[in-house]
Amino acid sequence: RQELQKAAMSVSLPNTLPAPALFSFEAHNWRLAILVGLIVSVVASVIFPAKPAFWIVGAMAALVAAAFVINAYRRKYYGGLLVAPAIAVLFVMNIFPLLWSLGLSFFAYQSNNQSIRFVGLNNYIKVLTNDLASADNWKALINTALFVVLTVAAQMVIGFLLAMLFSKQFPLRKYLLILVLTPMMLSVVASGVFFSYYYDPTFGILSYVIGEITGNQFILMDNKVGAVAGIVFADAWMWAPFVMLLVLAGLVSVPKYLYEAAAIDRVSGWRRFWSITFPYIRGLLMLALLFRTIEAFKLADLVILLTKGGNDTMTISYHLIRIANEQNKTSEGAAISYVMLFMVIVLTNLYLYLANRRSQSA
């Protein structure tokens, strides 16, 4: 027993090594590496031009990563070493661009002009105050809120009805289900081009059918109401099957004996739905609502393909693309993107709060 205890102590000894002091110059001192990396990165971003600052920040990130790897090796955290390549790819592809764009939002920088200067919160003030530029921002944000409400509501209603339909067994159900899921598998560009031909006033199917009835040429995208309706219909056509899949997964998980017991007790269909079906799909409905709300905030591709922002259909994402890419206002575009990110985070936390509160009350 004593030999086993000694062996266990010897195995666990590397994991109980004391952490180095903050200002001890050792290769595995990751705390000092983080402190030095942050200080040097901030100073380099403020003092040096964009290109040298970029390489200095990259070198500091490599220094911190090396300190973490050496510390994990000394303490025999082999699990951390195994996931280190995935974390490195995640940092390079996601975290570093996110932090870099956050830093750019505090500078005056344009992609067609390599000069850069620190302006603090001026970009955010410009985005949120009542000048001409911010008026366009708020108008695009209001349009985005309109699209979020309409598209998400349409997707939830259509997806729920489709799920209720396909939860029943009927002839050709399998083939019709594949057909309904097809729009979700298409690219947004393909769907946008399809609907641009579908809404075309000259040879579009919709214009042809309505023209045959009314005797006049029908132009759906001629006003804001028609343009919004066309975009909402196209987006719901693509993503209502996603909601349907989530709800259908909840419907097929409902135990059959509950329906059998309700039938024996002669429970009405409406009461059966609220007492048996809805509790099983409520969580999935809320999850679909969260996912589609976040995605609706990024609606830009269909607007570009169908209206190009005309008829007052400019969304905040398309407005951001025009500012950052077409007008080369990189820092201002970064500020707008982080305002959007803040709004999405607030909505997500509000959703999680309401969901947790509902689960606790239940």
mmCIF file of all heavy atoms in Angstrom, residues 192-193 196 221 227 231 300-315 318-319 322 326:
data_model
loop_
_atom_site.group_PDB
_atom_site.id
_atom_site.type_symbol
_atom_site.label_atom_id
_atom_site.label_comp_id
_atom_site.label_asym_id
_atom_site.label_seq_id
_atom_site.Cartn_x
_atom_site.Cartn_y
_atom_site.Cartn_z
ATOM 1 N N GLY A 192 -31.516 33.896 -53.935
ATOM 2 C CA GLY A 192 -31.771 35.289 -54.290
ATOM 3 C C GLY A 192 -31.950 35.486 -55.780
ATOM 4 O O GLY A 192 -32.847 36.229 -56.220
ATOM 5 N N VAL A 193 -31.122 34.813 -56.574
ATOM 6 C CA VAL A 193 -31.268 34.905 -58.034
ATOM 7 C C VAL A 193 -32.583 34.295 -58.478
ATOM 8 O O VAL A 193 -33.282 34.836 -59.359
ATOM 9 C CB VAL A 193 -30.073 34.221 -58.721
ATOM 10 C CG1 VAL A 193 -30.295 34.135 -60.227
ATOM 11 C CG2 VAL A 193 -28.787 34.976 -58.428
ATOM 12 N N SER A 196 -35.296 36.757 -57.669
ATOM 13 C CA SER A 196 -35.238 37.942 -58.526
ATOM 14 C C SER A 196 -35.914 37.680 -59.860
ATOM 15 O O SER A 196 -36.587 38.563 -60.416
ATOM 16 C CB SER A 196 -33.776 38.359 -58.739
ATOM 17 O OG SER A 196 -33.069 37.359 -59.456
ATOM 18 N N MET A 221 -41.795 44.829 -56.313
ATOM 19 C CA MET A 221 -40.760 45.628 -55.660
ATOM 20 C C MET A 221 -40.911 47.125 -55.925
ATOM 21 O O MET A 221 -39.948 47.879 -55.776
ATOM 22 C CB MET A 221 -39.381 45.160 -56.135
ATOM 23 C CG MET A 221 -39.081 43.712 -55.816
ATOM 24 S SD MET A 221 -38.906 43.442 -54.054
ATOM 25 C CE MET A 221 -38.510 41.708 -54.007
ATOM 26 N N ALA A 227 -41.551 45.352 -51.395
ATOM 27 C CA ALA A 227 -40.158 44.934 -51.283
ATOM 28 C C ALA A 227 -39.914 44.173 -49.986
ATOM 29 O O ALA A 227 -39.239 43.127 -49.980
ATOM 30 C CB ALA A 227 -39.248 46.159 -51.364
ATOM 31 N N ILE A 231 -38.811 40.144 -49.643
ATOM 32 C CA ILE A 231 -37.626 39.683 -48.915
ATOM 33 C C ILE A 231 -38.028 38.733 -47.797
ATOM 34 O O ILE A 231 -37.376 37.697 -47.573
ATOM 35 C CB ILE A 231 -36.842 40.888 -48.367
ATOM 36 C CG1 ILE A 231 -36.281 41.711 -49.526
ATOM 37 C CG2 ILE A 231 -35.721 40.439 -47.451
ATOM 38 C CD1 ILE A 231 -35.658 43.022 -49.096
ATOM 39 N N ALA A 300 -28.436 40.529 -45.117
ATOM 40 C CA ALA A 300 -27.869 41.470 -46.089
ATOM 41 C C ALA A 300 -27.875 40.894 -47.497
ATOM 42 O O ALA A 300 -28.123 41.625 -48.464
ATOM 43 C CB ALA A 300 -26.437 41.850 -45.687
ATOM 44 N N ASP A 301 -27.608 39.596 -47.632
ATOM 45 C CA ASP A 301 -27.437 39.006 -48.964
ATOM 46 C C ASP A 301 -28.710 39.071 -49.787
ATOM 47 O O ASP A 301 -28.674 39.447 -50.971
ATOM 48 C CB ASP A 301 -26.945 37.556 -48.842
ATOM 49 C CG ASP A 301 -27.492 36.877 -47.596
ATOM 50 O OD1 ASP A 301 -28.583 37.266 -47.131
ATOM 51 O OD2 ASP A 301 -26.824 35.969 -47.077
ATOM 52 N N LEU A 302 -29.841 38.732 -49.188
ATOM 53 C CA LEU A 302 -31.099 38.806 -49.948
ATOM 54 C C LEU A 302 -31.459 40.238 -50.313
ATOM 55 O O LEU A 302 -31.989 40.493 -51.396
ATOM 56 C CB LEU A 302 -32.234 38.174 -49.133
ATOM 57 C CG LEU A 302 -32.292 36.647 -49.103
ATOM 58 C CD1 LEU A 302 -33.421 36.187 -48.213
ATOM 59 C CD2 LEU A 302 -32.452 36.074 -50.507
ATOM 60 N N VAL A 303 -31.164 41.177 -49.421
ATOM 61 C CA VAL A 303 -31.432 42.584 -49.716
ATOM 62 C C VAL A 303 -30.576 43.045 -50.887
ATOM 63 O O VAL A 303 -31.041 43.759 -51.783
ATOM 64 C CB VAL A 303 -31.177 43.446 -48.467
ATOM 65 C CG1 VAL A 303 -31.363 44.923 -48.782
ATOM 66 C CG2 VAL A 303 -32.100 43.028 -47.338
ATOM 67 N N ILE A 304 -29.306 42.640 -50.900
ATOM 68 C CA ILE A 304 -28.416 43.018 -52.002
ATOM 69 C C ILE A 304 -28.915 42.448 -53.315
ATOM 70 O O ILE A 304 -28.939 43.137 -54.351
ATOM 71 C CB ILE A 304 -26.981 42.536 -51.707
ATOM 72 C CG1 ILE A 304 -26.425 43.245 -50.472
ATOM 73 C CG2 ILE A 304 -26.078 42.764 -52.908
ATOM 74 C CD1 ILE A 304 -25.098 42.699 -50.008
ATOM 75 N N LEU A 305 -29.354 41.200 -53.305
ATOM 76 C CA LEU A 305 -29.743 40.541 -54.545
ATOM 77 C C LEU A 305 -31.105 41.002 -55.054
ATOM 78 O O LEU A 305 -31.325 41.059 -56.265
ATOM 79 C CB LEU A 305 -29.766 39.028 -54.336
ATOM 80 C CG LEU A 305 -28.404 38.365 -54.107
ATOM 81 C CD1 LEU A 305 -28.569 36.948 -53.590
ATOM 82 C CD2 LEU A 305 -27.587 38.364 -55.395
ATOM 83 N N LEU A 306 -32.024 41.334 -54.155
ATOM 84 C CA LEU A 306 -33.394 41.637 -54.572
ATOM 85 C C LEU A 306 -33.665 43.130 -54.734
ATOM 86 O O LEU A 306 -34.361 43.533 -55.673
ATOM 87 C CB LEU A 306 -34.386 41.046 -53.563
ATOM 88 C CG LEU A 306 -34.419 39.512 -53.474
ATOM 89 C CD1 LEU A 306 -35.401 39.059 -52.411
ATOM 90 C CD2 LEU A 306 -34.767 38.898 -54.813
ATOM 91 N N THR A 307 -33.164 43.967 -53.816
ATOM 92 C CA THR A 307 -33.497 45.394 -53.879
ATOM 93 C C THR A 307 -32.291 46.316 -53.886
ATOM 94 O O THR A 307 -32.426 47.493 -54.180
ATOM 95 C CB THR A 307 -34.386 45.784 -52.682
ATOM 96 O OG1 THR A 307 -33.640 45.607 -51.466
ATOM 97 C CG2 THR A 307 -35.637 44.927 -52.628
ATOM 98 N N LYS A 308 -31.104 45.784 -53.503
ATOM 99 C CA LYS A 308 -29.904 46.624 -53.343
ATOM 100 C C LYS A 308 -30.144 47.796 -52.385
ATOM 101 O O LYS A 308 -29.572 48.876 -52.550
ATOM 102 C CB LYS A 308 -29.404 47.137 -54.693
ATOM 103 C CG LYS A 308 -28.889 46.036 -55.609
ATOM 104 C CD LYS A 308 -28.351 46.591 -56.902
ATOM 105 C CE LYS A 308 -27.677 45.494 -57.721
ATOM 106 N NZ LYS A 308 -28.578 44.365 -58.015
ATOM 107 N N GLY A 309 -31.010 47.578 -51.418
ATOM 108 C CA GLY A 309 -31.295 48.600 -50.423
ATOM 109 C C GLY A 309 -32.313 49.626 -50.856
ATOM 110 O O GLY A 309 -32.605 50.562 -50.100
ATOM 111 N N GLY A 310 -32.853 49.503 -52.050
ATOM 112 C CA GLY A 310 -33.841 50.468 -52.527
ATOM 113 C C GLY A 310 -35.190 50.299 -51.859
ATOM 114 O O GLY A 310 -35.452 49.309 -51.171
ATOM 115 N N ASN A 311 -36.060 51.279 -52.062
ATOM 116 C CA ASN A 311 -37.399 51.296 -51.457
ATOM 117 C C ASN A 311 -37.346 51.179 -49.938
ATOM 118 O O ASN A 311 -38.174 50.504 -49.324
ATOM 119 C CB ASN A 311 -38.275 50.179 -52.039
ATOM 120 C CG ASN A 311 -38.659 50.437 -53.471
ATOM 121 O OD1 ASN A 311 -38.787 51.579 -53.906
ATOM 122 N ND2 ASN A 311 -38.808 49.367 -54.251
ATOM 123 N N ASP A 312 -36.342 51.821 -49.351
ATOM 124 C CA ASP A 312 -36.196 51.862 -47.887
ATOM 125 C C ASP A 312 -36.108 50.456 -47.294
ATOM 126 O O ASP A 312 -36.784 50.131 -46.309
ATOM 127 C CB ASP A 312 -37.363 52.633 -47.265
ATOM 128 C CG ASP A 312 -37.071 53.060 -45.830
ATOM 129 O OD1 ASP A 312 -35.890 53.007 -45.425
ATOM 130 O OD2 ASP A 312 -38.015 53.439 -45.124
ATOM 131 N N THR A 313 -35.263 49.614 -47.879
ATOM 132 C CA THR A 313 -35.045 48.266 -47.345
ATOM 133 C C THR A 313 -33.604 48.069 -46.890
ATOM 134 O O THR A 313 -33.165 46.929 -46.720
ATOM 135 C CB THR A 313 -35.383 47.213 -48.412
ATOM 136 O OG1 THR A 313 -34.595 47.452 -49.590
ATOM 137 C CG2 THR A 313 -36.854 47.242 -48.763
ATOM 138 N N MET A 314 -32.869 49.141 -46.682
ATOM 139 C CA MET A 314 -31.487 49.039 -46.240
ATOM 140 C C MET A 314 -31.426 48.484 -44.815
ATOM 141 O O MET A 314 -32.040 49.026 -43.897
ATOM 142 C CB MET A 314 -30.822 50.416 -46.279
ATOM 143 C CG MET A 314 -29.375 50.428 -45.807
ATOM 144 S SD MET A 314 -28.265 49.558 -46.921
ATOM 145 C CE MET A 314 -28.352 50.642 -48.347
ATOM 146 N N THR A 315 -30.705 47.381 -44.632
ATOM 147 C CA THR A 315 -30.507 46.813 -43.305
ATOM 148 C C THR A 315 -29.159 47.261 -42.758
ATOM 149 O O THR A 315 -28.303 47.760 -43.487
ATOM 150 C CB THR A 315 -30.553 45.283 -43.360
ATOM 151 O OG1 THR A 315 -29.501 44.803 -44.212
ATOM 152 C CG2 THR A 315 -31.899 44.801 -43.893
ATOM 153 N N TYR A 318 -26.156 45.402 -44.436
ATOM 154 C CA TYR A 318 -25.829 45.913 -45.761
ATOM 155 C C TYR A 318 -25.240 47.322 -45.656
ATOM 156 O O TYR A 318 -24.308 47.680 -46.380
ATOM 157 C CB TYR A 318 -27.079 45.908 -46.634
ATOM 158 C CG TYR A 318 -26.837 46.298 -48.072
ATOM 159 C CD1 TYR A 318 -25.590 46.117 -48.669
ATOM 160 C CD2 TYR A 318 -27.854 46.841 -48.847
ATOM 161 C CE1 TYR A 318 -25.373 46.475 -49.986
ATOM 162 C CE2 TYR A 318 -27.650 47.200 -50.165
ATOM 163 C CZ TYR A 318 -26.398 47.025 -50.732
ATOM 164 O OH TYR A 318 -26.179 47.383 -52.034
ATOM 165 N N HIS A 319 -25.773 48.128 -44.754
ATOM 166 C CA HIS A 319 -25.222 49.461 -44.516
ATOM 167 C C HIS A 319 -23.772 49.366 -44.047
ATOM 168 O O HIS A 319 -22.916 50.164 -44.464
ATOM 169 C CB HIS A 319 -26.082 50.172 -43.478
ATOM 170 C CG HIS A 319 -25.672 51.584 -43.207
ATOM 171 N ND1 HIS A 319 -25.640 52.558 -44.181
ATOM 172 C CD2 HIS A 319 -25.271 52.199 -42.052
ATOM 173 C CE1 HIS A 319 -25.246 53.710 -43.657
ATOM 174 N NE2 HIS A 319 -25.009 53.504 -42.366
ATOM 175 N N ARG A 322 -21.522 48.551 -47.037
ATOM 176 C CA ARG A 322 -21.294 49.723 -47.888
ATOM 177 C C ARG A 322 -20.310 50.697 -47.250
ATOM 178 O O ARG A 322 -19.449 51.261 -47.930
ATOM 179 C CB ARG A 322 -22.626 50.411 -48.177
ATOM 180 C CG ARG A 322 -23.586 49.568 -48.990
ATOM 181 C CD ARG A 322 -24.857 50.317 -49.317
ATOM 182 N NE ARG A 322 -24.591 51.491 -50.139
ATOM 183 C CZ ARG A 322 -25.539 52.312 -50.591
ATOM 184 N NH1 ARG A 322 -26.807 52.070 -50.289
ATOM 185 N NH2 ARG A 322 -25.239 53.347 -51.327
ATOM 186 N N GLU A 326 -17.339 49.785 -49.620
ATOM 187 C CA GLU A 326 -17.509 50.720 -50.730
ATOM 188 C C GLU A 326 -16.971 52.110 -50.397
ATOM 189 O O GLU A 326 -16.362 52.758 -51.237
ATOM 190 C CB GLU A 326 -18.990 50.796 -51.111
ATOM 191 C CG GLU A 326 -19.558 49.463 -51.599
ATOM 192 C CD GLU A 326 -21.029 49.560 -51.933
ATOM 193 O OE1 GLU A 326 -21.560 50.697 -51.963
ATOM 194 O OE2 GLU A 326 -21.658 48.506 -52.164
#
